[in-house]
Amino acid sequence: MGSDGLKRALLLAVLASVGCGGASSPSGRVEVGSVRDGDTILLEDGRRVRLVQVDAPELGRECHGDAAAAELARLAPRGTELRLERDPWLDDVDRHGRLLRYAFAGATNLNLEVVRVGTAAPYFYRNERGRYARGLVTAAEDARQAQRGLWGACPRARLRPERQVETGPP
């Protein structure tokens, strides 16, 4: 087997070992139980999902935090079926035990959508960039330029993807 064939076989083995969705159902589909904040979803089965590669202001403690939670709840209300996608190049869970996933409601990538509407910003923990990193940065730059969401509401907000978003007090 040549070098390219070996790389391809290794990648397939890694993908098979981590699974496609990280969910208990074979299809990787799960249901929303509730939204915890602007970047965290509680699933019907009790597991928590942190939208990977994004950070929303803290609920009740930061400018636009409540609006961020409300927007995610609008995009993914209780009972919404989600498809979860794990990025094999990023951590599987965070230090709080939350699954780190891209979440799709139908064709909508919720991670990208919350950044596009300005209720979250890209956050590349340890500066590691996943498969949608370029799109997240572009969506944030567009939202900031248009003053959407936190970019218009929070004068202290800065776009620094290598750091968690800081928007100041509510």
Side-chain angles (χ1 to χ4, degrees):
M1 182 179 297
S3 175
D4 286 341
L6 186 58
K7 287 178 187 174
R8 187 172 301 119
L10 180 58
L11 177 60
L12 289 173
V14 168
L15 291 173
S17 72
V18 298
C20 293
S24 59
S25 67
S27 67
R29 299 202 181 276
V30 295
E31 275 191 29
V32 173
S34 63
V35 166
R36 292 300 197 204
D37 59 27
D39 55 31
T40 306
I41 297 170
L42 179 66
L43 301 177
E44 280 290 331
D45 65 12
R47 291 178 297 159
R48 294 173 299 152
V49 175
R50 170 74 158 69
L51 300 181
V52 70
Q53 299 267 276
V54 302
D55 188 44
E58 294 302 316
L59 184 64
R61 295 191 326 219
E62 289 185 290
C63 178
H64 216 65
D66 294 350
E71 179 63 15
L72 185 55
R74 185 189 70 75
L75 292 167
R78 180 181 180 88
T80 299
E81 184 177 83
L82 299 178
R83 179 177 58 83
L84 301 179
E85 183 180 306
R86 183 182 187 283
D87 194 321
W89 309 114
L90 302 173
D91 291 339
D92 184 44
V93 296
D94 69 7
R95 62 188 173 105
H96 302 291
R98 297 176 294 189
L99 297 172
L100 297 171
R101 299 292 187 270
Y102 301 106
F104 293 82
T108 302
N109 178 330
L110 297 179
N111 306 54
L112 281 168
E113 186 64 11
V114 294
V115 172
R116 188 191 70 74
V117 299
T119 59
Y123 174 44
F124 305 134
Y125 181 67
R126 295 186 306 243
N127 209 24
E128 296 172 351
R129 293 173 184 246
R131 82 173 44 123
Y132 298 105
R134 182 175 291 155
L136 289 165
V137 170
T138 299
E141 289 169 344
D142 291 347
R144 184 178 63 171
Q145 180 71 26
Q147 296 290 292
R148 283 193 301 267
L150 66 89
W151 305 109
C154 310
R156 295 176 58 187
R158 301 289 177 266
L159 180 55
R160 289 184 226 142
E162 70 283 354
R163 299 180 59 183
Q164 291 177 302
V165 69
E166 296 175 14
T167 59

